[in-house]
Amino acid sequence: MLLALLQRYSLKLVFALTLLLGLQIPNFLQQYEIRLDSHYIEAKNQLNAYQRLADRYFSGNLQALISTHKNDPKKLFQDEALVVEDLVNRVHYLQTQKDSLNVTLTKRLLFLAGQVNSPLFHETRVNYQAEIILNKNAISVGLVCALISSLLLEFVFFIFAAGLKKFSFPRKSKPAEL
């Protein structure tokens, strides 16, 4: 009886907690996307200054600008070429990240799960503002998380109960009355 009570309330608690957690996942994804867009816009704006120079002196060929700086005898221009090259690579990387998020919610969430060790994920986590946003994505993810965690806990209780039955001690029977 105590085990059944513990099981019932544990399941309710786990369901409620994982529902609340699941409701946060789409909001976290949205904040990640906003942060990604901000980094992309910043990098793109920085690159535009070099692109204007490439437009002016190299018919818009940014690689020609980089090559010219790399081949310049002055170390300053060689180092600047590396800065511009890094900026081009950063814009390309951020654009690839943005393109990876132009898919269904499930694929976006899987992509986000793969970014757990990235600096942008860490930055989003550190600055995350929890909110309860009840849209269809949040409700769907919340319910799926809650159902999966409840089923897993139910399975753990089942295994535990089966283990108790296996190791239960036989009841002492009363001696027969004469």
Side-chain angles (χ1 to χ4, degrees):
M1 170 133 149
L2 180 63
L3 186 59
L5 184 69
L6 178 66
Q7 179 181 5
R8 187 171 63 236
Y9 283 106
S10 296
L11 284 170
K12 287 178 181 182
L13 180 64
V14 166
F15 185 89
L17 290 176
T18 53
L19 177 65
L20 289 173
L21 177 67
L23 288 172
Q24 294 303 306
I25 294 172
N27 185 37
F28 184 87
L29 175 63
Q30 182 182 23
Q31 289 186 28
Y32 179 87
E33 289 172 328
I34 290 169
R35 196 166 297 281
L36 175 63
D37 284 342
S38 298
H39 283 274
Y40 175 75
I41 290 168
E42 178 186 3
K44 190 77 170 153
N45 286 341
Q46 290 174 354
L47 186 61
N48 282 342
Y50 292 106
Q51 184 62 57
R52 284 191 297 277
L53 289 173
D55 292 345
R56 188 173 184 186
Y57 296 106
F58 300 98
S59 301
N61 188 342
L62 195 55
Q63 289 304 318
L65 173 77
I66 293 170
S67 293
T68 300
H69 277 68
K70 277 186 179 179
N71 296 325
D72 194 281
K74 292 184 180 176
K75 182 78 169 123
L76 169 69
F77 292 115
Q78 293 172 9
D79 289 347
E80 186 178 39
L82 297 176
V83 170
V84 176
E85 204 167 41
D86 285 346
L87 193 52
V88 168
N89 291 336
R90 178 163 171 75
V91 168
H92 183 271
Y93 170 76
L94 293 170
Q95 181 63 56
T96 303
Q97 295 278 304
K98 285 172 56 71
D99 292 344
S100 296
L101 291 167
N102 265 344
V103 292
T104 64
L105 176 63
T106 305
K107 289 180 181 178
R108 288 168 50 214
L109 291 173
L110 290 173
F111 174 80
L112 183 65
Q115 300 302 310
V116 172
N117 294 322
S118 75
L120 189 58
F121 187 94
H122 175 72
E123 184 181 324
T124 304
R125 185 179 52 79
V126 167
N127 296 298
Y128 179 68
Q129 295 294 315
E131 300 172 312
I132 300 292
I133 298 174
L134 294 178
N135 57 32
K136 73 176 188 175
N137 288 341
I139 292 169
S140 299
V141 172
L143 284 174
V144 166
C145 289
L147 288 172
I148 289 172
S149 64
S150 294
L151 288 173
L152 287 173
L153 186 59
E154 187 76 46
F155 180 71
V156 167
F157 279 129
F158 175 77
I159 298 297
F160 182 70
L164 283 180
K165 285 181 184 176
K166 183 178 178 183
F167 294 109
S168 65
F169 299 103
R171 293 184 173 188
K172 292 183 182 178
S173 60
K174 291 184 181 179
E177 292 183 22
L178 296 172

